[in-house]
Structure formats: structure tokens, C-alpha cells
Amino acid sequence: MESVGLIALAAPTGRSAQRLSEMTALEAKTVHRLLEFDPRSMAFKRNTNNPLPQKAIIVDEASMLDLFLAYSLIKAVPEESQILFVGDIDQLPSVGPGSILADLINSDRVPVIRLTQVFRQAQSSAIIRNAHQINRAQDPNIEPISDTPNSDCLWHAGGHKLEHGVQAISELITDFVPNLGFNPTIDVQVLCPMSGGLVGTRNLNNVLQQLMNPPSPEKIEITRGGTLFRRGDRVIQLTNDYQREVFNGELGFITVIDTEEQEVIVQYQERSVTYDYADLNEIALAWSVTIHKSQGSEYPVVIMPIYTQHYVMLSRNLLYTGLTRAKKLAIIVGSKKAIGMAVRSVNQKPRYTQLQQRLMQVALCPTVSP
């Protein structure tokens, strides 16, 4: 069944669009693809003069929309069509300027429906209970890790030194998680507040690469831009590549490294993408990724190091976003002091967009009939 003709499904990133497609069994595109971005002119083909043909446009993960992208999208929606934004304003804000979803909701000038039943995890899930507590600026009640856990949300002290945290994460992946029936290579995603430091993505990717995909004579490997890539590595696409049709945030595995042709083949879901060696700056190791990069995604198991050394990045919405990426099991590794610092820190500079004020000056939108 195709969405083209009546309904268009879109999301800001490739991974969130892919997830939307999986959940709906309909074609979903990035907003850039929906608007037919032209790399030659660096502009969208769909605009006021050439609007989208669909009667309804649904945009998921709308909290990630920045001002420029939202403006370009709305310009391309004809007056006789409807647009539905779906998102969570408690997650991290867009990387670019603006606060589109929050401004729309807070203006009281558009119809708003609030989700009160959570479908990603069971209603009895401690992940959900703790996420709600975090949003209320309350310390989450996370069960200490044990050999026989009674919760899907666990805490591992990880030791006072960062080296102990790295060791704890390694042991969770090699022993604890497999004993619960999960496949670490496929099911586990380590999410970090930042890239630098011993428990940042750069170091953890090196550690986890040796752990999850150790070297062997059968595995060809190359080094580009200071990163060692090995056959079998999990990688993430860092940019929107319209020629290869692979988009920011998509996760895949390296299946082939051809040293003669100087090419690397990455398997993304059901399709393969070939990169020249010169284009390997488009991908990075993804045994560990930042929480920012994880937005729009979900994983069976999330392991999240939270230490006071992350204080620059620690915030309530960052902790909330990382925790709610987990479908079946979330494990926080680190100090309770750091968790408390995150819960009590909004750490979000106000964004002065004037969009909410401008919307409040216009007439109310007509109520949409069910």
C-alpha cells in the first residue's frame, strides 16, 4: 500500500522516517525527501508554487523540526490539505533554531491531542514510571542491578572511577545482557551524553569494537580519518546522502571491505549501500552513539553511562530522551549524584522565536472532525 496520493508520512531524520515506515507499513520519507531537496540548487522543489499533492501530511518526531525546515514544509502544504505534527516536547529540542512543536502547543491556536497511553513499553514498565518522575523533577526509583532483576529499568553504580564504568559496561554486554536472552550485537545500544572522555562515544566505540567485533584474519579492516573500520562493525550514517538514498541516523553493519576497488559496503536493513574510501567520513562507528543521535530511534536494550564528568551536558530532557529509547530494558551506569544533577537541571536556554506570540494573534484554527 502506498502513501502517495492521499497521505504523506515524514520525519526529520532518516532513522525516524524508517521507524515510522516500520510501524505503519506505509512509505515514510525524511522531510527533505518529501520536499524533494535538490543538491544542485540547494533548494526544495516543493514550495508555494509547487505544493505537495497529498491531502494529509503526518510528521513524526516533530520536536526535532527546526525553524527553517518547518517553514519550508508548511509553505509546501496547500490550503485545502491538513498537516498533523506528532512529537514529544519533553525530549531534546531541535539542533537548529526554533521551538516549533512547543510553540504550536503553547499558543492554544491549534487543536492538540495528548497521548495518555504509552505503547512502546508496557504500562507497568518501570521505564515509563521513571520517565514520568524525571519529567516531574523527581529522582527516579531505579532498581539496583542483580542477577535476578525484577524490573526493566536498572541501575549499576559503575564505581567512582570512569575506568570502572567502562569495565562495568563491558561486563554488562558480555555477561549480564546475554544471560537475559538478548543478543548484544543486535539488541544493545550504548547511549552517551557526549562524545569525549572515557565514557564518551569515541572511547567506548573503540572498547566495544574490540569486545563485540574483535579482529581476526578473516576480517579485513582499514583506517580512515583516525577511525578503524572492520568488517562486521555497526556504523551510523552522519549526513543525508540523497544520491545513495541513505540518511542521517540510519544504522547498519559493514559487510564488505574491498581493498582493490577501495570500497566499503554497508547493509542497512534490507539494502546495501556502497561507499568509496573517500566518502567514509559520512559514517562512524555506532556501538555507542550520543543521546542526541538516538532521537527518533528505539532499541530493545539501552545502556546509558551517566557520570558527574558529563555535567556540561546533563539535563532532565537528555536523561528522559535516553531512557525512553529503551523498549525492553534500560540500564543506567554511574552515580546517583549524576542522575540527580540531570533531573534537577533543565539546562535548556530559552529560545526567542516569537512564533507562539504571532500564533496567538491569529484566529483559532477550525476544529478537525474525527
Side-chain angles (χ1 to χ4, degrees):
M1 182 177 179
E2 296 290 339
S3 61
V4 174
L6 293 176
I7 301 173
L9 303 181
T13 67
R15 180 60 189 137
S16 54
Q18 182 181 354
R19 184 61 189 153
L20 180 58
S21 181
E22 293 169 358
M23 294 297 293
T24 61
L26 295 171
E27 181 186 21
K29 301 178 179 180
T30 63
V31 177
H32 284 79
R33 279 192 67 194
L34 180 69
L35 298 179
E36 300 175 21
F37 181 75
D38 184 358
R40 290 170 297 183
S41 64
M42 296 300 292
F44 295 112
K45 294 181 181 179
R46 293 291 180 179
N47 49 43
T48 306
N49 299 323
N50 181 31
L52 293 164
Q54 289 86 4
K55 297 299 181 184
I57 296 93
I58 300 173
V59 183
D60 197 15
E61 298 292 346
S63 63
M64 300 172 68
L65 284 175
D66 63 24
L67 194 61
F68 168 75
L69 194 57
Y71 174 65
S72 300
L73 173 62
I74 291 174
K75 278 202 307 182
V77 178
E79 290 186 5
E80 64 273 11
S81 298
Q82 294 178 332
I83 186 166
L84 171 65
F85 293 106
V86 181
D88 185 348
I89 59 173
D90 292 318
Q91 290 187 27
L92 294 166
S94 60
V95 176
S99 185
I100 302 300
L101 185 63
D103 284 347
L104 288 172
I105 292 172
N106 295 331
S107 71
D108 290 328
R109 289 299 187 266
V110 295
V112 175
I113 298 175
R114 298 184 184 275
L115 178 67
T116 56
Q117 182 178 359
V118 179
F119 295 96
R120 178 179 282 125
Q121 303 97 336
Q123 287 184 337
S124 59
S125 168
I127 295 173
I128 294 303
R129 291 199 305 272
N130 286 315
H132 288 166
Q133 285 180 287
I134 290 167
N135 271 343
R136 292 193 293 266
Q138 300 171 352
D139 288 332
N141 184 22
I142 305 177
E143 178 183 313
I145 201 162
S146 65
D147 292 334
T148 56
N150 297 311
S151 173
D152 61 357
C153 189
L154 304 173
W155 170 64
H156 189 305
H160 295 295
K161 294 184 178 181
L162 297 182
E163 294 90 340
H164 297 158
V166 174
Q167 183 63 29
I169 293 170
S170 300
E171 291 174 355
L172 287 171
I173 289 174
T174 55
D175 298 323
F176 183 78
V177 169
N179 288 338
L180 294 180
F182 295 103
N183 181 339
T185 305
I186 299 173
D187 296 331
V188 177
Q189 184 63 61
V190 178
L191 301 180
C192 301
M194 56 199 303
S195 299
L198 283 177
V199 285
T201 59
R202 283 195 292 268
N203 182 60
L204 284 176
N205 267 319
N206 293 332
V207 172
L208 298 178
Q209 182 186 49
Q210 295 298 102
L211 194 67
M212 310 272 276
N213 188 33
S216 73
E218 296 79 26
K219 296 178 183 177
I220 299 175
E221 56 186 49
I222 60 167
T223 300
R224 284 293 181 275
T227 299
L228 187 148
F229 293 105
R230 181 179 296 137
R231 183 173 63 82
D233 275 337
R234 182 194 292 169
V235 294
I236 186 171
Q237 174 73 17
L238 300 175
T239 61
N240 290 326
D241 188 327
Y242 297 94
Q243 293 182 335
R244 293 185 177 90
E245 293 192 338
V246 58
F247 302 99
N248 181 24
E250 290 194 47
L251 294 175
F253 286 88
I254 295 176
T255 55
V256 176
I257 297 178
D258 190 330
T259 55
E260 290 186 5
E261 296 295 329
Q262 295 196 331
E263 292 178 340
V264 172
I265 299 177
V266 178
Q267 186 72 29
Y268 293 101
Q269 295 280 316
E270 299 176 353
R271 62 193 186 89
S272 297
V273 175
T274 301
Y275 297 85
D276 298 326
Y277 277 9
D279 296 326
L280 290 180
N281 61 338
E282 289 191 11
I283 62 174
L285 293 176
W287 301 112
S288 174
V289 300
T290 63
I291 296 173
H292 281 82
K293 277 288 184 185
S294 75
Q295 280 193 271
S297 302
E298 60 180 19
Y299 317 96
V301 180
V302 164
I303 298 175
M304 188 165 45
I306 300 292
Y307 282 84
T308 54
Q309 285 80 358
H310 295 139
Y311 72 92
V312 174
M313 296 297 297
L314 292 182
S315 67
R316 191 181 307 158
N317 53 2
L318 182 113
L319 182 59
Y320 171 86
T321 300
L323 190 64
T324 54
R325 298 310 90 203
K327 288 177 63 178
K328 298 180 180 179
L329 177 65
I331 305 174
I332 296 179
V333 178
S335 68
K336 286 199 171 182
K337 180 180 179 181
I339 296 171
M341 287 172 60
V343 169
R344 283 179 281 279
S345 174
V346 178
N347 195 27
Q348 186 176 332
K349 295 180 180 179
R351 297 190 173 194
Y352 302 102
T353 67
Q354 291 296 309
L355 177 59
Q356 177 182 337
Q357 289 79 1
R358 292 184 179 186
L359 287 169
M360 292 172 68
Q361 295 173 2
V362 302
L364 283 168
C365 295
T367 302
V368 179
S369 300

